Amino acid sequence: MEQHGYYRFPDVWHDTIVFVSEDDLWQVPRQGGLAQRLTANLAAVSYPKISPNGEWIVYAASEEGYREIYCMPFLGGSQIRLTFLGTYSTPLAWSSDSQWIYFASNFETPFYPLNSIYKVHLQGGEPIRVPVGYANQVSFGPSAGCVIGRHTRDTSRWKRYRGGRTGEIWIDLTGNCEFKKLFSLEANLTDPLWIQDRIYFISDHEGIGNVYSCDLMGQNMIRHTQHHEFYVRNLSSDGQTLIYHTAADLYTLDKGSQDTHKVAIQYHSSQTQIQRKFIKAASYIQGYDIQSPGTHSALAIRGRPVTLAHWTGPVQTWGKSHGVRYRLPTWLHD
């Protein structure tokens, strides 16, 4: 039986794609094929980033509370927790020698939306703050420069937003922390990537979020994708191939190209999270009312209305069985 998943947060390294589905990490060939599950975590996993040497995957997970930074071997294995900040952290990039992981976190910032960039060593240790100011994203050029995203978040969550918190892209060409705004555009921007002599990013200035690029001066903008219904989300790259997801599917885009390729995934899963389960109703009572004689009660349990006698008899369910959530059950005078 053919199965389909909802594929998110992809990253690519040479001929291998790592992505998230069912809150776990999966791996699939770049050209498509059979997907293999890499993790079976109890909590959600997100934002995987593959090391440049192809030996490690770093990702965010909330196994022990807050979303912290974890790492595991590329082919699968035990996960290693790298940060203990007690706040929300998101991995962004690796150093070129595959020894340092850069991530964004609101640790040491006064407000939740404000993130700073940190780095932590693959072997663990105290995270080091990177002096680029407040930023949500960072990507490094072939030399010492870097590009950062400020206020940059998933633009599909706030479609065509044009207020004071629109995403901006700033660039430091020399590595001296002398940043300038890459360009001014009536758009919400996110996911800047410095690839050779161009900056790739997602913009919705033409209505729907798509992949664009410009030169290091913010000029010569090119549109690379032609999605007209769903936003491009979570753009990533290994320096040659770009990858992203839109709707529930993954797409690849070769650097400098305008030809996208939908990744055909053979997906086989037990789909545990959507299987039916039996629960203790007492743990999910959302409202109740006692009939005036005191012989019956009406309850709302996980959005379903039920009535029951206090001493004997079956429980009776009411209303539609699917697609509706009920609340506030109340007995009328009769």
Side-chain angles (χ1 to χ4, degrees), residues 238-306:
D238 63 354
Q240 294 295 325
T241 301
L242 291 95
I243 190 166
Y244 59 89
H245 79 95
T246 180
D249 297 309
L250 305 184
Y251 289 80
T252 59
L253 170 70
D254 289 334
K255 176 181 63 67
S257 172
Q258 292 179 291
D259 296 325
T260 59
H261 171 71
K262 180 179 176 180
V263 183
I265 298 176
Q266 299 174 26
Y267 188 74
H268 301 283
S269 168
S270 60
Q271 297 185 322
T272 304
Q273 296 186 38
I274 64 172
Q275 300 301 315
R276 69 174 184 169
K277 64 178 180 179
F278 298 90
I279 63 172
K280 293 183 178 180
S283 301
Y284 293 89
I285 296 176
Q286 298 166 311
Y288 70 93
D289 188 41
I290 301 175
Q291 187 188 36
S292 57
T295 60
H296 290 71
S297 289
L299 303 97
I301 301 174
R302 295 192 78 239
R304 294 288 301 279
V306 303

Side-chain angles (χ1 to χ4, degrees), residues 81-231:
R81 182 173 174 178
L82 298 180
T83 64
F84 299 82
L85 300 180
T87 186
Y88 293 99
S89 301
T90 304
L92 302 173
W94 286 81
S95 62
S96 58
D97 60 1
S98 299
Q99 294 300 303
W100 292 89
I101 298 102
Y102 292 85
F103 65 96
S105 176
N106 61 347
F107 178 65
E108 298 181 320
T109 59
F111 305 107
Y112 169 73
L114 291 177
N115 283 332
S116 295
I117 305 299
Y118 297 83
K119 65 178 182 179
V120 65
H121 198 271
L122 178 61
Q123 302 302 320
E126 190 75 17
I128 301 172
R129 190 170 185 172
V130 181
V132 297
Y134 292 124
N136 293 332
Q137 295 163 332
V138 67
S139 179
F140 294 92
S143 55
C146 72
V147 61
I148 62 173
R150 287 181 174 157
H151 308 301
T152 47
R153 300 183 184 276
D154 185 0
T155 55
S156 70
R157 294 175 180 263
W158 208 344
K159 294 181 174 68
R160 291 170 285 280
Y161 172 70
R162 298 293 183 262
R165 290 174 60 190
T166 53
E168 300 176 347
I169 299 176
W170 294 68
I171 190 168
D172 170 21
L173 294 170
T174 62
N176 295 322
C177 292
E178 297 177 356
F179 285 90
K180 66 176 183 179
K181 199 172 182 179
L182 185 60
F183 53 76
S184 295
L185 188 65
E186 191 70 17
N188 202 3
L189 310 172
T190 192
D191 294 352
L193 297 175
W194 188 331
I195 302 177
Q196 294 184 355
D197 58 350
R198 295 190 70 82
I199 307 297
Y200 291 79
F201 55 92
I202 297 173
S203 172
D204 66 353
H205 66 279
E206 293 182 307
I208 299 294
N210 275 282
V211 178
Y212 298 80
S213 73
C214 66
D215 62 28
L216 303 184
M217 297 293 108
Q219 304 295 323
N220 301 315
M221 190 174 297
I222 299 173
R223 176 171 172 171
H224 296 276
T225 60
Q226 307 298 325
H227 297 284
H228 301 289
E229 186 174 5
F230 298 104
Y231 271 54

